Amino acid sequence: MPYGRGDRSGPERGRPTDTTGNRLRYAVGREDLRAVADTRRRLRDQLRQWGVPALADTAELLATEIVTNALQHTGGGAVLTATLSPGPARRLRVEVHDTADRRPPQRPQGGLRPSDEATSGRGLLLVEALADTWGVQARGAGKTVWFELGARAA
């Protein structure tokens, strides 16, 4: 369910909307940056329950970046969905859906990086560097920024 600019009826802070099988959905209210810590904690706990705790540090960092971007740059809420695919070649896919149609700026190959003094602009660089794959998809009212990590068997 999208939450638009000025919509105060969105989810309460960090309210889980669905946790079944190998899927976690977690809604974060409009501009609620304090809920980002709850999102990290829930994702880490879920990855432990799924038996892939080795993915937690990277998944938590990247999810934090894209959830924070959604909250800071869209003026609306966001919904995080994490899914672990079944089978021996399991993959973790984390998606963050927001209500803004604007796509994150694409950095050209070898393009400029933020200066050492900049206080922002590194989040998608981290996603690009640490995720096995990532992207942005238009979805109805808004977009979804996603990344995937391979879950190596222990």
Side-chain angles (χ1 to χ4, degrees), residues 52-117:
V52 289
L55 293 180
D57 289 339
T58 302
E60 193 176 333
L61 173 65
L62 301 184
T64 296
E65 292 298 332
I66 60 177
V67 168
T68 301
N69 282 350
L71 297 180
Q72 286 184 326
H73 300 295
T74 69
V79 177
L80 175 135
T81 303
T83 308
L84 185 65
S85 65
R90 296 183 299 173
R91 295 190 65 75
L92 173 68
R93 182 177 177 102
V94 175
E95 301 178 345
V96 175
H97 180 78
D98 64 48
T99 57
D101 292 331
R102 280 188 328 268
R103 293 175 62 91
Q106 295 292 83
R107 184 180 62 82
Q109 285 287 59
L112 296 175
R113 295 183 180 270
S115 72
D116 290 343
E117 294 80 30

Side-chain angles (χ1 to χ4, degrees), residues 4 17 19 45 55 77-78 90 94 106 114 130 147 152:
T17 56
T19 306
D45 291 346
L55 293 180
R90 296 183 299 173
V94 175
Q106 295 292 83
L130 298 176
F147 67 86
R152 287 124 190 110

